[in-house]
């Protein structure tokens, strides 16, 4: 039944396209035409789109390629070969490629399986810095080439901000925090604001997620705590009070006393420390690939300070933290024992019964992420050498596809 519905959607889209109602023009070659159809060419980046290739013969092979360029100017590309069904169509949501960048039926497989065209195994995808318009959308060009040479192409935009979302840059000199604040469109029902803290990569890595959260109605502040002008150069001696101040600023700007703090990897330590300092303000803590302990700074020394003194290494005390906690980890994390720590953090207590852990089989350290985006691999910050985070691209993507909607549901709980 689902298959029939998808086919019907494809036929309906084809009818719209051929009458010009979609505003998209198929590319013609000779006396044939090959058409690429999308149900939403301006969808938010965390939403799947349905892609249909039409105009083929039954059983005909077609090669479909996706291409994009990230903020760093690096090209990304994926490709897969499909066989048309009896209607001369390929529906990527239900049709598996016979070969290519991914291997199972997946409507968004071409998007997340893109690899850098520079040939580097250590390239990380850098999404455009989200702005409050389509200028920061990621154009993805889809090209289809049939085995008889007939071609078609179409470009879809992957957006980070919904219409009406506003963006404000904050800086240490005037706001006492380096970050980017996104607010939902005016009139949006109030939802829990989110403070986002990245990991040992430094800089402000949570901007794209913050923009999407605001698009879903959550005021969101992505904060950098080292690696930008006006901040420490390395993850050493970071005052917990700095992030506490960011949480209070977010609460003030959003007009809410119900704050969620999200931390990824090393940022999970800071998120938990902030929750401990603000038990009456922080209601939820979301941590990816987390640590339940305070670890050393990078490259050495103390990572965090509180009241001017180093926060001692060892377990993070949660007994006076009533916040709900959702801890997500990949079972094949090779960077550190995040599965064990996630289980510790996700164990309910009498004072905080709303805690849970989710472990993803086959995924590694890179379980945090927006679904449907390419990831590449990673290079260890500070030391600058490649590190094995564990897992594989398909398993990490599966984790993103589950963890992101779970995060949104957690925020609404």
């Amino acid at each position: 039944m689902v298959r029939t519905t998808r086919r019907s959607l494809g036929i309906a889209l084809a009818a719209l396209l051929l009458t010009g109602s979609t505003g998209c023009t198929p590319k013609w070659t000779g006396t044939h035409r090959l058409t690429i159809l999308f149900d939403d060419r301006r969808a938010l980046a965390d939403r799947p789109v349905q892609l249909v290739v039409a105009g083929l013969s039954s059983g005909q092979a077609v090669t479909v390629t996706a291409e994009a360029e990230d903020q760093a100017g690096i090209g990304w590309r994926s490709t897969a070969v499909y066989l048309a069904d009896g209607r001369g169509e390929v529906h990527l949501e239900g049709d598996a490629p016979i070969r290519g960048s991914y291997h199972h039926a997946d409507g968004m497989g071409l998007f997340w399986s893109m690899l850098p065209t520079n040939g580097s195994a250590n390239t990380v995808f850098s999404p455009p810095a989200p702005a409050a318009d389509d200028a920061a959308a990621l154009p993805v060009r889809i090209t289809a080439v049939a085995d008889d040479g007939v071609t078609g192409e179409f470009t879809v935009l992957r957006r980070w901000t919904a219409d009406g979302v506003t963006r404000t840059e904050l800086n240490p000199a005037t706001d006492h925090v380096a970050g980017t604040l996104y607010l939902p469109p005016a009139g949006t029902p109030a939802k829990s604001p989110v403070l986002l803290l990245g990991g040992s990569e430094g800089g402000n890595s949570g901007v794209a997620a913050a923009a999407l959260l605001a698009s879903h109605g959550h005021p969101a502040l992505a904060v950098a705590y080292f690696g930008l002008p006006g901040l420490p150069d390395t993850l050493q001696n970071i005052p917990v009070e700095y992030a506490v101040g960011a949480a209070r600023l977010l609460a003030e700007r959003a007009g809410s006393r119900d704050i969620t703090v999200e931390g990824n990897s090393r940022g999970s330590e800071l998120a938990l420390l902030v929750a401990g300092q603000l038990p009456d303000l922080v209601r939820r803590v979301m941590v990816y690939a987390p640590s339940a302990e305070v670890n050393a700074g990078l490259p050495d020394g103390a990572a965090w300070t509180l009241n001017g003194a180093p926060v001692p290494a060892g377990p993070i005390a949660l007994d006076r933290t009533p916040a709900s906690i959702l801890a997500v980890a990949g079972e094949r994390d090779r960077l550190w024992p995040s599965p064990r720590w996630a289980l510790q953090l996700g164990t309910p207590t009498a004072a905080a019964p709303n805690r849970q852990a989710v472990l993803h089989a086959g995924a590694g350290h890179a379980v945090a992420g927006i679904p449907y985006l390419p990831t590449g691999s990673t290079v260890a910050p500070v030391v600058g050498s490649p590190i094995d985070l564990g897992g594989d691209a398909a398993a990490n993507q599966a984790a993103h596809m589950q963890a992101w909607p779970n995060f949104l549901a957690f925020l609404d709980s």
Side-chain angles (χ1 to χ4, degrees), residues 264-313:
N264 176 34
S265 190
R266 291 305 300 266
S268 66
E269 299 174 34
L270 187 53
L272 293 166
L273 292 171
V274 169
Q277 294 297 305
L278 297 173
D280 296 329
L281 182 63
V282 176
R283 307 297 185 186
R284 302 170 195 82
V285 178
M286 174 76 190
V287 286
Y288 294 95
S291 172
E293 301 178 2
V294 171
N295 292 276
L298 293 173
D300 52 32
W304 322 107
T305 66
L306 186 60
N307 299 321
V311 177

Side-chain angles (χ1 to χ4, degrees), residues 170-403:
L170 307 177
N171 67 78
T174 57
D175 305 295
H176 308 292
V177 64
T180 308
L181 174 67
Y182 289 90
L183 296 178
T188 300
K191 292 186 176 182
S192 175
V194 184
L195 176 68
L196 298 103
L197 303 168
S200 58
E201 69 280 354
N204 196 359
S205 59
V207 173
L212 284 172
L213 288 169
S215 298
H216 288 285
H218 297 275
L221 173 58
V223 168
Y225 51 89
F226 79 97
L228 288 182
L231 300 176
D233 292 331
T234 58
L235 206 171
Q236 293 174 297
N237 300 315
I238 309 298
V240 174
E241 292 89 345
Y242 170 82
V244 167
R248 287 176 171 154
L249 183 150
L250 175 60
E252 178 183 350
R253 296 287 182 95
S256 173
R257 297 289 300 175
D258 178 8
I259 300 296
T260 299
V261 183
E262 184 261 5
N264 176 34
S265 190
R266 291 305 300 266
S268 66
E269 299 174 34
L270 187 53
L272 293 166
L273 292 171
V274 169
Q277 294 297 305
L278 297 173
D280 296 329
L281 182 63
V282 176
R283 307 297 185 186
R284 302 170 195 82
V285 178
M286 174 76 190
V287 286
Y288 294 95
S291 172
E293 301 178 2
V294 171
N295 292 276
L298 293 173
D300 52 32
W304 322 107
T305 66
L306 186 60
N307 299 321
V311 177
I316 299 173
L318 298 176
D319 54 328
R320 291 187 295 178
T321 304
S324 301
I325 295 177
L326 176 57
V328 176
E331 291 183 349
R332 293 178 57 192
D333 188 339
R334 294 184 180 176
L335 183 63
W336 65 9
S338 64
R340 171 168 60 83
W341 282 331
L343 291 173
Q344 293 177 19
L345 296 171
T347 300
T349 66
N354 298 318
R355 293 180 178 174
Q356 60 176 312
V358 179
L359 303 184
H360 293 277
H365 191 75
V367 290
I370 298 165
Y372 319 125
L373 290 181
T375 55
S377 59
T378 190
V379 175
V382 182
V383 296
S385 59
I387 55 176
D388 183 2
L389 298 181
D392 59 63
N396 288 339
Q397 181 62 208
H400 298 169
M401 291 175 63
Q402 180 179 341

Side-chain angles (χ1 to χ4, degrees), residues 115-166:
L115 294 174
T117 57
N118 63 9
S120 171
N122 301 315
T123 302
V124 178
F125 180 81
S126 300
D133 53 43
D134 279 356
L138 176 70
V140 180
R141 186 165 67 97
I142 306 295
T143 305
V145 181
D147 59 7
D148 60 0
V150 178
T151 66
E153 65 179 57
F154 185 66
T155 297
V156 60
L157 298 177
R158 306 297 286 160
R159 303 174 67 209
W160 268 260
T161 54
D163 294 338
V165 169
T166 60

